Amino acid sequence: MRSNNQLHAAWRVPFIAAAFATALVTALLVMPSASAATLFSDDFQDGDAAGWSRSGGSWSVVTDGSPAYRQSGTSADARALAGSGWTDQAVQARVKPISYNGSGRYAAVLARAQSTSSYYFLGLTNAGTAVLGKRTGGAPITLATGSATITPGEWHTVRLEAFGSTLRGFVNDVQVATATDTTFASGRAGLAGYYASATFDDVLVTDLGGPTVSPTVPTIPPGSCLPPAGSPVGFASVNAWGQNGTTVGAGGPTVAVDTAAEFLAAIGQQGPLTVCVLGTITLPSGMHNVTSDKTILGVGATSGLTGGGLNIGLPADDSITTPPANAVHNVIIRNLTFRGATDDSINVQMFSHHIWIDHNDLANGYDGLIDIKRGSSYITVSWNHTHNHTKNMLLGHDDGNAAQDVGRLKVTYHHNWFDRTPQRNPRVRFGEPVHVFNNYYVYNTDVGVACQADAGCLVEGNYFERVEEPVTNSYAGPSGRCVARNNVFTDDSGTPDCSGTVQEPSTYYSYTLADPTTIKTAVMSGAGVGKI
């Protein structure tokens, strides 16, 4: 064991100020850390692990480029502790996950450890997330999670800070999770492989955290990243499930981001936040989790995301059939372009509620552009332009998902431009009422609105142009119910194939139906990005 009085990690500002047009965008004010005292360090260069107490697993000093500490077993809950009972502490190590034995496993650093069964931890999981949690003698308890790019066989800098009641977790110098907890006031530092093998090196414990990050409102060109005035029209405005409407950023701070690392850290952290996206950000492939109380706004007409998609919701679980208390809620996605997603562009699932998807431009994805499923509800999809894509918008997981979806999937679609998108405009299962009003449909070669599996759809005040089958409740699979009224059908469009009765959305919210003859012009001029 060797001491080192220098903090080796080069802290990176999580959110970078960027210039946009002629205005300086100030994303964060960063006060650098100073005079941190080293409480403990070990780089294992002496070839031993003296001073470490172990429980479970198979621990040894190995050579991995240089001497390092490895936990090589995956069949045990393995922990190693060192140091003494510090109060405030920042525990950092380089961590290389090797393999995981099953789901929900992690390699972690520990802070304020009372024993090998009681401590705080920040772990790298096998699901592409960082998990901040605690152990109190039993199974791990998750306090917060965040998105992180985790690659087995590669080094990651992992840092867990415990100062007062505040816990902060960083991966590769980007904050990924934060929580407040008072279970442990002091304790030792440690490492863990929770049914996972990993190599650890350059362990460092200091008495001072990383940079103090103080989000401030960016100075941006007028109108380029302003919160939407008022509230959404439709189901996102309803008082239900403990949430009264959908509110911008839930009153939290505002930050500006222009890199994937900054963006993922912002949307994955806990607490209310407005995230202003500057320019086009290329995300890693796959879906990236958005936590509750987030407003994500594109700046200007050229900001957006490519390469990856956004997931709003807990992991899919068929056994959960009622809205859980921790369902993701109160999320706004606005004024963004989405291109080249490797899965869905936007996916809403697992009883997520009070979501507003507004004024976006979505095209050229892989699966759905906007999919809403698994019990999600109280959602408004408005003023979006979708094009150059086939499977447009799905509402409802599949024909066998009644247990989660019946009585839910309450969604409003209004003033969207369904521009030559062949199908799923939307395709609906089980939801009722699904309110589709004042949208512009053009050359949807398969079907416009498909209402099936006992869904109830009210389709009114829309403008259909060259749509052979504009509305149907007999598209595929079990039939649904639909009511079509006051729509315009032009240029060889067909007529609705509807039957049954549907709940009136007006029992949930008030709205004003525009003259459908004006909708084509209104939507073409107002839908998409750069229009707010």
Side-chain angles (χ1 to χ4, degrees):
M1 181 174 68
R2 300 180 181 180
S3 295
N4 188 335
N5 289 324
Q6 295 181 343
L7 179 61
H8 295 293
W11 288 92
R12 178 176 179 272
V13 178
F15 303 106
I16 300 174
F20 185 83
T22 59
L24 179 64
V25 180
T26 304
L28 295 174
L29 177 64
V30 178
M31 302 299 294
S33 61
S35 304
T38 297
L39 304 174
F40 173 87
S41 67
D42 199 346
D43 58 13
F44 307 102
Q45 292 293 320
D46 53 9
D48 64 50
W52 290 86
S53 58
R54 294 161 290 275
S55 174
S58 179
W59 296 87
S60 62
V61 176
V62 300
T63 299
D64 192 343
S66 63
Y69 203 22
R70 177 171 295 169
Q71 198 296 104
S72 57
T74 60
S75 59
D77 183 2
R79 292 134 297 174
L81 306 182
S84 57
W86 308 295
T87 302
D88 290 340
Q89 57 188 267
V91 182
Q92 177 176 295
R94 291 198 303 134
V95 182
K96 179 189 285 188
I98 300 172
S99 61
Y100 300 90
N101 182 7
S103 61
R105 312 310 195 189
Y106 55 77
V109 299
L110 314 180
R112 288 184 177 168
Q114 312 293 296
S115 66
T116 55
S117 60
S118 298
Y119 48 79
Y120 294 119
F121 67 89
L122 178 66
L124 307 181
T125 77
N126 53 344
T129 60
V131 56
L132 174 60
K134 64 182 178 180
R135 301 286 296 272
T136 57
I141 299 170
T142 298
L143 299 175
T145 60
S147 298
T149 301
I150 299 167
T151 306
E154 293 188 5
W155 289 104
H156 307 72
T157 301
V158 181
R159 181 181 182 87
L160 174 56
E161 299 182 354
F163 289 84
S165 61
T166 300
L167 306 172
R168 295 201 301 170
F170 296 79
V171 176
N172 295 330
D173 302 327
V174 175
Q175 183 172 316
V176 294
T178 184
T180 300
D181 192 84
T182 58
T183 304
F184 307 123
S186 64
R188 308 171 72 190
L191 310 169
Y194 183 63
Y195 299 95
S197 59
T199 305
F200 303 88
D201 200 3
D202 297 330
V203 181
L204 181 67
V205 185
T206 64
D207 65 353
L208 190 65
T212 299
V213 181
S214 302
T216 59
V217 177
T219 301
I220 56 176
S224 63
C225 194
L226 295 179
S231 60
V233 174
F235 276 112
S237 68
V238 173
N239 186 351
W241 291 8
Q243 174 73 29
N244 189 2
T246 304
T247 58
V248 180
T254 297
V255 296
V257 300
D258 62 1
T259 70
E262 295 164 0
F263 178 79
L264 295 177
I267 67 171
Q269 74 179 53
Q270 300 299 310
L273 188 68
T274 295
V275 182
C276 290
V277 176
L278 307 176
T280 298
I281 296 176
T282 300
L283 298 178
S285 61
M287 303 299 294
H288 304 284
N289 293 330
V290 180
T291 57
S292 295
D293 300 317
K294 297 294 178 294
T295 295
I296 306 172
L297 300 174
V299 174
T302 59
S303 295
L305 307 172
T306 184
L310 301 182
N311 179 67
I312 305 171
L314 302 172
D317 188 339
D318 292 339
S319 68
I320 300 175
T321 57
T322 58
N326 62 337
V328 178
H329 60 278
N330 199 35
V331 173
I332 299 173
I333 300 174
R334 200 168 199 242
N335 200 44
L336 291 170
T337 61
F338 289 81
R339 296 290 188 273
T342 55
D343 196 339
D344 296 331
S345 295
I346 301 174
N347 176 62
V348 184
Q349 67 177 21
M350 288 305 295
F351 306 93
S352 294
H353 59 98
H354 293 88
I355 313 298
W356 186 15
I357 301 170
D358 179 73
H359 275 98
N360 302 291
D361 185 297
L362 306 99
N364 300 119
Y366 175 75
D367 198 355
L369 291 183
I370 301 175
D371 283 1
I372 301 168
K373 56 197 181 187
R374 294 183 178 275
S376 297
S377 212
Y378 300 102
I379 297 168
T380 294
V381 179
S382 57
W383 294 101
N384 300 286
H385 182 197
T386 59
H387 55 98
N388 296 100
H389 192 83
T390 298
K391 296 188 291 185
N392 193 22
M393 299 184 189
L394 184 68
L395 179 57
H397 176 51
D398 60 36
D399 293 345
N401 205 47
Q404 291 182 325
D405 290 343
V406 169
R408 303 179 183 105
L409 299 181
K410 298 184 187 301
V411 181
T412 303
Y413 299 86
H414 73 86
H415 292 91
N416 299 288
W417 182 1
F418 299 118
D419 186 1
R420 295 166 174 81
T421 48
Q423 59 174 276
R424 302 187 181 186
N425 298 296
R427 181 178 180 181
V428 182
R429 299 179 176 97
F430 297 113
E432 184 179 9
V434 176
H435 193 193
V436 183
F437 78 93
N438 283 159
N439 301 281
Y440 172 45
Y441 290 80
V442 58
Y443 199 52
N444 313 109
T445 54
D446 188 358
V447 69
V449 183
C451 196
Q452 59 192 98
D454 201 34
C457 306
L458 174 60
V459 182
E460 61 175 341
N462 301 283
Y463 191 105
F464 293 92
E465 180 178 353
R466 278 193 295 160
V467 183
E468 181 178 354
E469 192 171 18
V471 187
T472 179
N473 64 340
S474 58
Y475 174 69
S479 63
R481 292 163 288 113
C482 61
V483 171
R485 66 193 184 201
N486 197 30
N487 298 288
V488 169
F489 306 97
T490 67
D491 198 3
D492 296 323
S493 289
T495 57
D497 175 20
C498 277
S499 62
T501 59
V502 179
Q503 294 178 25
E504 287 288 340
S506 59
T507 63
Y508 294 89
Y509 57 84
S510 61
Y511 65 99
T512 300
L513 191 69
D515 181 347
T517 62
T518 67
I519 289 302
K520 176 179 178 178
T521 299
V523 169
M524 288 183 69
S525 63
V529 297
K531 306 294 180 65
I532 55 175

